Amino acid sequence: MDHGSVAVVAIVRADKNNRAVMTDTSVLGGRTLECFLQDYWQQRPLLLRNAMPGFASPIAPEDLLGLACEPDALARIILESEGMYPWEVRFGPFREEDFADLPRNGWTILVQEVDRYIDDVRDLLTPFRFAPNWRLDDIQVSYAAPGGNAGPHIDSYDVFLLQGMGRREWRIGGAPEPGDAPMQEDLDLSLLKGFTVASRWVLEPGDMLYLPPRYAHLGIALEPCLTYSIGFRAPLKRTLVERYLEYTASKMEPGLQLSDRGRDASSDPGLIDEETVGDVIKTIRDAACDEACLTEWFGRFVTASERGTEPCPPDTRQSSAEVGMALAHGAELLRHAVPHFAYAQREGSTWLFACGQSYRLPPELMYAGKLLSGPQRLNAETLGPRLGDRVFLQLLATLVNDGALEIYSAG
């Protein structure tokens, strides 16, 4: 690849008519999903040879570099030794001239959330929809020149590493407990100070490697290569508690205080008595243990973007009639991102969550949560008779105007 003359391609949407939707469940190497979840998921690595036979990368390296130049691109370049200092990290969005001075070897570029931009990449999520939407994170795509890598490190999430082009050697270590993995100091990256290799595998196009959280690993490009990282997130318990308590506190009536009205005089002024502690416990429990409140908060929390890639409302608001007409004429509604849609049902209520917002659905729209957050495309064929439902069309228009859904017309 000649970086001095690289063609930067600005990608917005892939051709909707040429998408190859993957429904083959053989990605688990002949294992049943139940076997994989029981024996490997969040437990141990698994090498999957020829998981996707005949796999051809939906994008070329030039496409990825072009995407890294988009204004809202979440991209990084890592140079192991040819930067201004060891393991230099440069952040995008980039310009075409930023690629001209890169060395021939020893660097890699990583672009997050490529599935938001390119539908052929988004379709790669299909075999992995065994997990709830809120557990899916994104598809990161990396291009590496020979020798390019991100150093030996540990991730806190599950990931499937699909080789899209070229060959990459993966070196896998153990899974140290938090605090037992010393890190190198004064680097842009969190890299392990010591790295003992337990397994070495070379992946070719169509091969895939599953890694549970906290397994040390290092992937080195043996030749120019593309790698697709399908990641799964799980919020830290500490973060959940912190964020939810902040949320419930913001909902409480300001100025309310603990009351000791009607209490007897204290015979031991230094004692915090059981009755006071009981009042504190009741106050916190009443605020934090409202199941409906917690459900709505959690749905909004896990469907919000973690990287600031907020949905963009259309320039012109769309009416429900206009949305219905667009669908009737062959348009499709595109979700902002798969992980940003979910729904929940509690105590007779149904919420749809989209991009960090909650939509409480009336009884006649209880079906809409599952429908809109499901794996199917949203067009006249899949929505069918629902397009005659005025209330449903109004919900679609609201989601379009909020930027959670986008009207896409192939013509």
Side-chain angles (χ1 to χ4, degrees), residues 102-137:
L102 292 175
R104 288 192 171 273
N105 300 319
W107 64 272
T108 186
I109 182 169
L110 306 96
V111 183
Q112 300 278 162
E113 298 188 358
V114 178
D115 50 300
R116 284 203 307 117
Y117 295 91
I118 303 175
D119 295 306
D120 282 338
V121 174
R122 184 182 304 192
D123 287 336
L124 295 177
L125 290 172
T126 300
F128 307 99
R129 297 296 295 274
F130 60 84
N133 287 358
W134 65 268
R135 279 284 272 123
L136 287 169
D137 188 2

mmCIF file of all heavy atoms in Angstrom, residues 102-137:
data_model
loop_
_atom_site.group_PDB
_atom_site.id
_atom_site.type_symbol
_atom_site.label_atom_id
_atom_site.label_comp_id
_atom_site.label_asym_id
_atom_site.label_seq_id
_atom_site.Cartn_x
_atom_site.Cartn_y
_atom_site.Cartn_z
ATOM 1 N N LEU A 102 3.517 8.274 7.389
ATOM 2 C CA LEU A 102 3.604 7.071 8.217
ATOM 3 C C LEU A 102 4.693 6.146 7.692
ATOM 4 O O LEU A 102 4.925 6.050 6.487
ATOM 5 C CB LEU A 102 2.253 6.350 8.218
ATOM 6 C CG LEU A 102 1.110 7.073 8.933
ATOM 7 C CD1 LEU A 102 -0.193 6.305 8.743
ATOM 8 C CD2 LEU A 102 1.410 7.230 10.421
ATOM 9 N N PRO A 103 5.367 5.440 8.588
ATOM 10 C CA PRO A 103 6.408 4.502 8.139
ATOM 11 C C PRO A 103 5.786 3.315 7.412
ATOM 12 O O PRO A 103 4.573 3.104 7.455
ATOM 13 C CB PRO A 103 7.070 4.070 9.454
ATOM 14 C CG PRO A 103 6.004 4.247 10.488
ATOM 15 C CD PRO A 103 5.223 5.451 10.056
ATOM 16 N N ARG A 104 6.629 2.543 6.758
ATOM 17 C CA ARG A 104 6.126 1.383 6.033
ATOM 18 C C ARG A 104 5.658 0.287 6.991
ATOM 19 O O ARG A 104 4.749 -0.470 6.668
ATOM 20 C CB ARG A 104 7.202 0.825 5.104
ATOM 21 C CG ARG A 104 7.474 1.700 3.887
ATOM 22 C CD ARG A 104 8.326 0.968 2.865
ATOM 23 N NE ARG A 104 8.399 1.742 1.644
ATOM 24 C CZ ARG A 104 7.511 1.679 0.658
ATOM 25 N NH1 ARG A 104 6.476 0.858 0.783
ATOM 26 N NH2 ARG A 104 7.634 2.412 -0.428
ATOM 27 N N ASN A 105 6.261 0.199 8.156
ATOM 28 C CA ASN A 105 5.956 -0.892 9.086
ATOM 29 C C ASN A 105 5.706 -0.335 10.491
ATOM 30 O O ASN A 105 6.037 0.809 10.796
ATOM 31 C CB ASN A 105 7.125 -1.889 9.142
ATOM 32 C CG ASN A 105 7.421 -2.511 7.798
ATOM 33 O OD1 ASN A 105 6.504 -2.848 7.060
ATOM 34 N ND2 ASN A 105 8.700 -2.665 7.487
ATOM 35 N N GLY A 106 5.095 -1.194 11.334
ATOM 36 C CA GLY A 106 5.031 -0.901 12.764
ATOM 37 C C GLY A 106 3.974 0.088 13.206
ATOM 38 O O GLY A 106 4.127 0.701 14.255
ATOM 39 N N TRP A 107 2.893 0.243 12.443
ATOM 40 C CA TRP A 107 1.826 1.148 12.891
ATOM 41 C C TRP A 107 0.476 0.517 12.602
ATOM 42 O O TRP A 107 0.339 -0.385 11.773
ATOM 43 C CB TRP A 107 1.928 2.522 12.222
ATOM 44 C CG TRP A 107 1.731 2.505 10.721
ATOM 45 C CD1 TRP A 107 2.681 2.307 9.771
ATOM 46 C CD2 TRP A 107 0.491 2.689 10.026
ATOM 47 N NE1 TRP A 107 2.128 2.352 8.520
ATOM 48 C CE2 TRP A 107 0.789 2.589 8.646
ATOM 49 C CE3 TRP A 107 -0.815 2.924 10.419
ATOM 50 C CZ2 TRP A 107 -0.199 2.712 7.659
ATOM 51 C CZ3 TRP A 107 -1.803 3.050 9.448
ATOM 52 C CH2 TRP A 107 -1.492 2.948 8.082
ATOM 53 N N THR A 108 -0.523 0.999 13.306
ATOM 54 C CA THR A 108 -1.894 0.530 13.101
ATOM 55 C C THR A 108 -2.856 1.677 13.313
ATOM 56 O O THR A 108 -2.588 2.602 14.091
ATOM 57 C CB THR A 108 -2.222 -0.640 14.058
ATOM 58 O OG1 THR A 108 -3.506 -1.172 13.756
ATOM 59 C CG2 THR A 108 -2.213 -0.197 15.508
ATOM 60 N N ILE A 109 -3.991 1.636 12.618
ATOM 61 C CA ILE A 109 -5.058 2.614 12.807
ATOM 62 C C ILE A 109 -6.307 1.862 13.223
ATOM 63 O O ILE A 109 -6.625 0.796 12.670
ATOM 64 C CB ILE A 109 -5.303 3.453 11.532
ATOM 65 C CG1 ILE A 109 -6.391 4.504 11.799
ATOM 66 C CG2 ILE A 109 -5.656 2.581 10.332
ATOM 67 C CD1 ILE A 109 -6.514 5.546 10.696
ATOM 68 N N LEU A 110 -6.983 2.378 14.226
ATOM 69 C CA LEU A 110 -8.202 1.754 14.752
ATOM 70 C C LEU A 110 -9.339 2.758 14.656
ATOM 71 O O LEU A 110 -9.190 3.910 15.078
ATOM 72 C CB LEU A 110 -8.013 1.318 16.207
ATOM 73 C CG LEU A 110 -6.814 0.411 16.506
ATOM 74 C CD1 LEU A 110 -5.636 1.250 16.999
ATOM 75 C CD2 LEU A 110 -7.172 -0.625 17.552
ATOM 76 N N VAL A 111 -10.476 2.319 14.131
ATOM 77 C CA VAL A 111 -11.654 3.173 14.000
ATOM 78 C C VAL A 111 -12.820 2.503 14.720
ATOM 79 O O VAL A 111 -13.159 1.351 14.437
ATOM 80 C CB VAL A 111 -12.017 3.434 12.526
ATOM 81 C CG1 VAL A 111 -13.217 4.385 12.437
ATOM 82 C CG2 VAL A 111 -10.820 4.017 11.775
ATOM 83 N N GLN A 112 -13.407 3.222 15.665
ATOM 84 C CA GLN A 112 -14.541 2.711 16.453
ATOM 85 C C GLN A 112 -15.850 2.893 15.688
ATOM 86 O O GLN A 112 -15.980 3.741 14.815
ATOM 87 C CB GLN A 112 -14.647 3.465 17.780
ATOM 88 C CG GLN A 112 -13.442 3.369 18.674
ATOM 89 C CD GLN A 112 -13.420 2.102 19.475
ATOM 90 O OE1 GLN A 112 -12.381 1.723 19.996
ATOM 91 N NE2 GLN A 112 -14.539 1.421 19.613
ATOM 92 N N GLU A 113 -16.839 2.075 16.065
ATOM 93 C CA GLU A 113 -18.229 2.211 15.619
ATOM 94 C C GLU A 113 -18.360 2.268 14.104
ATOM 95 O O GLU A 113 -19.170 3.020 13.558
ATOM 96 C CB GLU A 113 -18.880 3.442 16.263
ATOM 97 C CG GLU A 113 -18.935 3.358 17.783
ATOM 98 C CD GLU A 113 -19.744 4.473 18.415
ATOM 99 O OE1 GLU A 113 -20.248 5.354 17.673
ATOM 100 O OE2 GLU A 113 -19.893 4.470 19.642
ATOM 101 N N VAL A 114 -17.587 1.452 13.415
ATOM 102 C CA VAL A 114 -17.703 1.416 11.956
ATOM 103 C C VAL A 114 -19.080 0.903 11.543
ATOM 104 O O VAL A 114 -19.595 1.253 10.479
ATOM 105 C CB VAL A 114 -16.571 0.561 11.354
ATOM 106 C CG1 VAL A 114 -16.692 0.452 9.838
ATOM 107 C CG2 VAL A 114 -15.214 1.149 11.725
ATOM 108 N N ASP A 115 -19.708 0.106 12.387
ATOM 109 C CA ASP A 115 -21.049 -0.394 12.087
ATOM 110 C C ASP A 115 -22.083 0.719 11.995
ATOM 111 O O ASP A 115 -23.144 0.548 11.397
ATOM 112 C CB ASP A 115 -21.483 -1.412 13.146
ATOM 113 C CG ASP A 115 -21.299 -0.900 14.564
ATOM 114 O OD1 ASP A 115 -20.145 -0.579 14.930
ATOM 115 O OD2 ASP A 115 -22.283 -0.805 15.313
ATOM 116 N N ARG A 116 -21.813 1.880 12.585
ATOM 117 C CA ARG A 116 -22.764 2.995 12.477
ATOM 118 C C ARG A 116 -22.755 3.605 11.082
ATOM 119 O O ARG A 116 -23.716 4.242 10.678
ATOM 120 C CB ARG A 116 -22.408 4.104 13.485
ATOM 121 C CG ARG A 116 -22.778 3.820 14.909
ATOM 122 C CD ARG A 116 -22.922 5.097 15.701
ATOM 123 N NE ARG A 116 -21.752 5.946 15.603
ATOM 124 C CZ ARG A 116 -21.768 7.166 15.071
ATOM 125 N NH1 ARG A 116 -22.860 7.665 14.547
ATOM 126 N NH2 ARG A 116 -20.660 7.898 15.047
ATOM 127 N N TYR A 117 -21.668 3.417 10.362
ATOM 128 C CA TYR A 117 -21.505 4.079 9.073
ATOM 129 C C TYR A 117 -21.754 3.163 7.881
ATOM 130 O O TYR A 117 -22.227 3.608 6.840
ATOM 131 C CB TYR A 117 -20.078 4.638 8.950
ATOM 132 C CG TYR A 117 -19.751 5.726 9.934
ATOM 133 C CD1 TYR A 117 -19.179 5.428 11.170
ATOM 134 C CD2 TYR A 117 -20.016 7.054 9.648
ATOM 135 C CE1 TYR A 117 -18.871 6.422 12.082
ATOM 136 C CE2 TYR A 117 -19.711 8.058 10.549
ATOM 137 C CZ TYR A 117 -19.142 7.735 11.760
ATOM 138 O OH TYR A 117 -18.844 8.721 12.663
ATOM 139 N N ILE A 118 -21.392 1.908 7.999
ATOM 140 C CA ILE A 118 -21.383 1.010 6.842
ATOM 141 C C ILE A 118 -22.280 -0.191 7.149
ATOM 142 O O ILE A 118 -22.013 -0.972 8.053
ATOM 143 C CB ILE A 118 -19.952 0.562 6.513
ATOM 144 C CG1 ILE A 118 -19.072 1.788 6.267
ATOM 145 C CG2 ILE A 118 -19.944 -0.354 5.295
ATOM 146 C CD1 ILE A 118 -17.619 1.463 6.048
ATOM 147 N N ASP A 119 -23.327 -0.338 6.367
ATOM 148 C CA ASP A 119 -24.319 -1.368 6.648
ATOM 149 C C ASP A 119 -23.766 -2.777 6.457
ATOM 150 O O ASP A 119 -24.162 -3.697 7.166
ATOM 151 C CB ASP A 119 -25.546 -1.151 5.763
ATOM 152 C CG ASP A 119 -26.252 0.157 6.089
ATOM 153 O OD1 ASP A 119 -26.596 0.357 7.263
ATOM 154 O OD2 ASP A 119 -26.427 0.992 5.179
ATOM 155 N N ASP A 120 -22.851 -2.965 5.508
ATOM 156 C CA ASP A 120 -22.244 -4.292 5.348
ATOM 157 C C ASP A 120 -21.464 -4.687 6.600
ATOM 158 O O ASP A 120 -21.369 -5.865 6.935
ATOM 159 C CB ASP A 120 -21.306 -4.306 4.139
ATOM 160 C CG ASP A 120 -22.087 -4.403 2.825
ATOM 161 O OD1 ASP A 120 -23.232 -4.863 2.860
ATOM 162 O OD2 ASP A 120 -21.541 -4.012 1.785
ATOM 163 N N VAL A 121 -20.876 -3.723 7.277
ATOM 164 C CA VAL A 121 -20.188 -4.004 8.530
ATOM 165 C C VAL A 121 -21.202 -4.257 9.638
ATOM 166 O O VAL A 121 -21.043 -5.181 10.446
ATOM 167 C CB VAL A 121 -19.234 -2.851 8.901
ATOM 168 C CG1 VAL A 121 -18.621 -3.080 10.280
ATOM 169 C CG2 VAL A 121 -18.133 -2.714 7.860
ATOM 170 N N ARG A 122 -22.257 -3.469 9.675
ATOM 171 C CA ARG A 122 -23.293 -3.677 10.688
ATOM 172 C C ARG A 122 -23.874 -5.079 10.589
ATOM 173 O O ARG A 122 -24.204 -5.708 11.612
ATOM 174 C CB ARG A 122 -24.396 -2.642 10.526
ATOM 175 C CG ARG A 122 -25.468 -2.722 11.607
ATOM 176 C CD ARG A 122 -26.581 -1.719 11.399
ATOM 177 N NE ARG A 122 -26.091 -0.359 11.323
ATOM 178 C CZ ARG A 122 -26.859 0.723 11.372
ATOM 179 N NH1 ARG A 122 -28.164 0.598 11.516
ATOM 180 N NH2 ARG A 122 -26.342 1.922 11.285
ATOM 181 N N ASP A 123 -23.994 -5.617 9.366
ATOM 182 C CA ASP A 123 -24.552 -6.955 9.188
ATOM 183 C C ASP A 123 -23.691 -8.039 9.835
ATOM 184 O O ASP A 123 -24.166 -9.145 10.083
ATOM 185 C CB ASP A 123 -24.729 -7.260 7.703
ATOM 186 C CG ASP A 123 -25.884 -6.491 7.087
ATOM 187 O OD1 ASP A 123 -26.796 -6.101 7.826
ATOM 188 O OD2 ASP A 123 -25.871 -6.271 5.860
ATOM 189 N N LEU A 124 -22.426 -7.725 10.103
ATOM 190 C CA LEU A 124 -21.572 -8.702 10.769
ATOM 191 C C LEU A 124 -22.028 -8.980 12.194
ATOM 192 O O LEU A 124 -21.602 -9.965 12.812
ATOM 193 C CB LEU A 124 -20.117 -8.216 10.781
ATOM 194 C CG LEU A 124 -19.422 -8.096 9.417
ATOM 195 C CD1 LEU A 124 -18.021 -7.540 9.588
ATOM 196 C CD2 LEU A 124 -19.388 -9.438 8.707
ATOM 197 N N LEU A 125 -22.883 -8.125 12.735
ATOM 198 C CA LEU A 125 -23.411 -8.351 14.084
ATOM 199 C C LEU A 125 -24.409 -9.501 14.132
ATOM 200 O O LEU A 125 -24.676 -10.055 15.201
ATOM 201 C CB LEU A 125 -24.095 -7.081 14.609
ATOM 202 C CG LEU A 125 -23.201 -5.897 14.961
ATOM 203 C CD1 LEU A 125 -24.047 -4.674 15.260
ATOM 204 C CD2 LEU A 125 -22.310 -6.221 16.141
ATOM 205 N N THR A 126 -24.967 -9.881 12.973
ATOM 206 C CA THR A 126 -26.069 -10.845 12.946
ATOM 207 C C THR A 126 -25.775 -12.134 13.698
ATOM 208 O O THR A 126 -26.588 -12.583 14.509
ATOM 209 C CB THR A 126 -26.466 -11.153 11.485
ATOM 210 O OG1 THR A 126 -26.872 -9.942 10.849
ATOM 211 C CG2 THR A 126 -27.619 -12.145 11.433
ATOM 212 N N PRO A 127 -24.616 -12.785 13.493
ATOM 213 C CA PRO A 127 -24.396 -14.039 14.228
ATOM 214 C C PRO A 127 -24.206 -13.852 15.728
ATOM 215 O O PRO A 127 -24.186 -14.838 16.470
ATOM 216 C CB PRO A 127 -23.096 -14.584 13.592
ATOM 217 C CG PRO A 127 -22.913 -13.845 12.315
ATOM 218 C CD PRO A 127 -23.513 -12.501 12.553
ATOM 219 N N PHE A 128 -24.048 -12.622 16.175
ATOM 220 C CA PHE A 128 -23.738 -12.369 17.580
ATOM 221 C C PHE A 128 -24.915 -11.778 18.344
ATOM 222 O O PHE A 128 -24.745 -11.256 19.443
ATOM 223 C CB PHE A 128 -22.526 -11.436 17.676
ATOM 224 C CG PHE A 128 -21.348 -11.916 16.895
ATOM 225 C CD1 PHE A 128 -21.077 -11.393 15.638
ATOM 226 C CD2 PHE A 128 -20.539 -12.926 17.378
ATOM 227 C CE1 PHE A 128 -20.007 -11.848 14.894
ATOM 228 C CE2 PHE A 128 -19.466 -13.393 16.635
ATOM 229 C CZ PHE A 128 -19.196 -12.857 15.388
ATOM 230 N N ARG A 129 -26.106 -11.889 17.770
ATOM 231 C CA ARG A 129 -27.276 -11.313 18.426
ATOM 232 C C ARG A 129 -27.840 -12.231 19.504
ATOM 233 O O ARG A 129 -28.979 -12.070 19.941
ATOM 234 C CB ARG A 129 -28.349 -10.969 17.384
ATOM 235 C CG ARG A 129 -27.937 -9.919 16.357
ATOM 236 C CD ARG A 129 -27.665 -8.571 16.975
ATOM 237 N NE ARG A 129 -28.838 -7.966 17.550
ATOM 238 C CZ ARG A 129 -29.713 -7.221 16.870
ATOM 239 N NH1 ARG A 129 -29.528 -7.009 15.574
ATOM 240 N NH2 ARG A 129 -30.760 -6.688 17.457
ATOM 241 N N PHE A 130 -27.038 -13.215 19.953
ATOM 242 C CA PHE A 130 -27.462 -14.052 21.074
ATOM 243 C C PHE A 130 -27.433 -13.258 22.374
ATOM 244 O O PHE A 130 -28.051 -13.643 23.370
ATOM 245 C CB PHE A 130 -26.563 -15.290 21.201
ATOM 246 C CG PHE A 130 -25.117 -14.991 21.432
ATOM 247 C CD1 PHE A 130 -24.644 -14.742 22.710
ATOM 248 C CD2 PHE A 130 -24.221 -14.958 20.382
ATOM 249 C CE1 PHE A 130 -23.302 -14.453 22.930
ATOM 250 C CE2 PHE A 130 -22.881 -14.680 20.584
ATOM 251 C CZ PHE A 130 -22.418 -14.433 21.866
ATOM 252 N N ALA A 131 -26.686 -12.172 22.399
ATOM 253 C CA ALA A 131 -26.616 -11.323 23.593
ATOM 254 C C ALA A 131 -27.630 -10.191 23.452
ATOM 255 O O ALA A 131 -27.984 -9.785 22.337
ATOM 256 C CB ALA A 131 -25.213 -10.750 23.747
ATOM 257 N N PRO A 132 -28.125 -9.655 24.569
ATOM 258 C CA PRO A 132 -29.040 -8.515 24.485
ATOM 259 C C PRO A 132 -28.379 -7.331 23.799
ATOM 260 O O PRO A 132 -27.152 -7.178 23.832
ATOM 261 C CB PRO A 132 -29.341 -8.193 25.958
ATOM 262 C CG PRO A 132 -28.961 -9.402 26.727
ATOM 263 C CD PRO A 132 -27.857 -10.067 25.963
ATOM 264 N N ASN A 133 -29.191 -6.491 23.177
ATOM 265 C CA ASN A 133 -28.652 -5.315 22.489
ATOM 266 C C ASN A 133 -27.748 -4.497 23.389
ATOM 267 O O ASN A 133 -26.698 -4.002 22.962
ATOM 268 C CB ASN A 133 -29.797 -4.421 21.983
ATOM 269 C CG ASN A 133 -30.503 -5.023 20.781
ATOM 270 O OD1 ASN A 133 -30.137 -6.082 20.291
ATOM 271 N ND2 ASN A 133 -31.529 -4.344 20.314
ATOM 272 N N TRP A 134 -28.143 -4.320 24.655
ATOM 273 C CA TRP A 134 -27.388 -3.430 25.529
ATOM 274 C C TRP A 134 -26.007 -3.997 25.882
ATOM 275 O O TRP A 134 -25.133 -3.259 26.321
ATOM 276 C CB TRP A 134 -28.166 -3.110 26.803
ATOM 277 C CG TRP A 134 -28.423 -4.264 27.726
ATOM 278 C CD1 TRP A 134 -29.510 -5.072 27.746
ATOM 279 C CD2 TRP A 134 -27.568 -4.724 28.790
ATOM 280 N NE1 TRP A 134 -29.389 -6.019 28.739
ATOM 281 C CE2 TRP A 134 -28.211 -5.820 29.400
ATOM 282 C CE3 TRP A 134 -26.334 -4.306 29.281
ATOM 283 C CZ2 TRP A 134 -27.663 -6.506 30.478
ATOM 284 C CZ3 TRP A 134 -25.774 -4.996 30.350
ATOM 285 C CH2 TRP A 134 -26.438 -6.075 30.937
ATOM 286 N N ARG A 135 -25.809 -5.294 25.634
ATOM 287 C CA ARG A 135 -24.475 -5.875 25.858
ATOM 288 C C ARG A 135 -23.556 -5.672 24.663
ATOM 289 O O ARG A 135 -22.335 -5.709 24.795
ATOM 290 C CB ARG A 135 -24.608 -7.369 26.165
ATOM 291 C CG ARG A 135 -24.980 -7.668 27.593
ATOM 292 C CD ARG A 135 -23.794 -7.498 28.522
ATOM 293 N NE ARG A 135 -22.996 -8.727 28.626
ATOM 294 C CZ ARG A 135 -21.718 -8.818 28.356
ATOM 295 N NH1 ARG A 135 -21.045 -7.771 27.947
ATOM 296 N NH2 ARG A 135 -21.065 -9.964 28.501
ATOM 297 N N LEU A 136 -24.134 -5.488 23.476
ATOM 298 C CA LEU A 136 -23.312 -5.209 22.308
ATOM 299 C C LEU A 136 -22.703 -3.822 22.434
ATOM 300 O O LEU A 136 -23.348 -2.889 22.897
ATOM 301 C CB LEU A 136 -24.154 -5.280 21.032
ATOM 302 C CG LEU A 136 -24.580 -6.675 20.569
ATOM 303 C CD1 LEU A 136 -25.627 -6.552 19.465
ATOM 304 C CD2 LEU A 136 -23.380 -7.465 20.068
ATOM 305 N N ASP A 137 -21.465 -3.692 22.000
ATOM 306 C CA ASP A 137 -20.815 -2.388 22.030
ATOM 307 C C ASP A 137 -20.719 -1.823 20.616
ATOM 308 O O ASP A 137 -21.518 -1.004 20.206
ATOM 309 C CB ASP A 137 -19.432 -2.504 22.671
ATOM 310 C CG ASP A 137 -18.786 -1.147 22.901
ATOM 311 O OD1 ASP A 137 -19.431 -0.129 22.598
ATOM 312 O OD2 ASP A 137 -17.654 -1.096 23.381
#
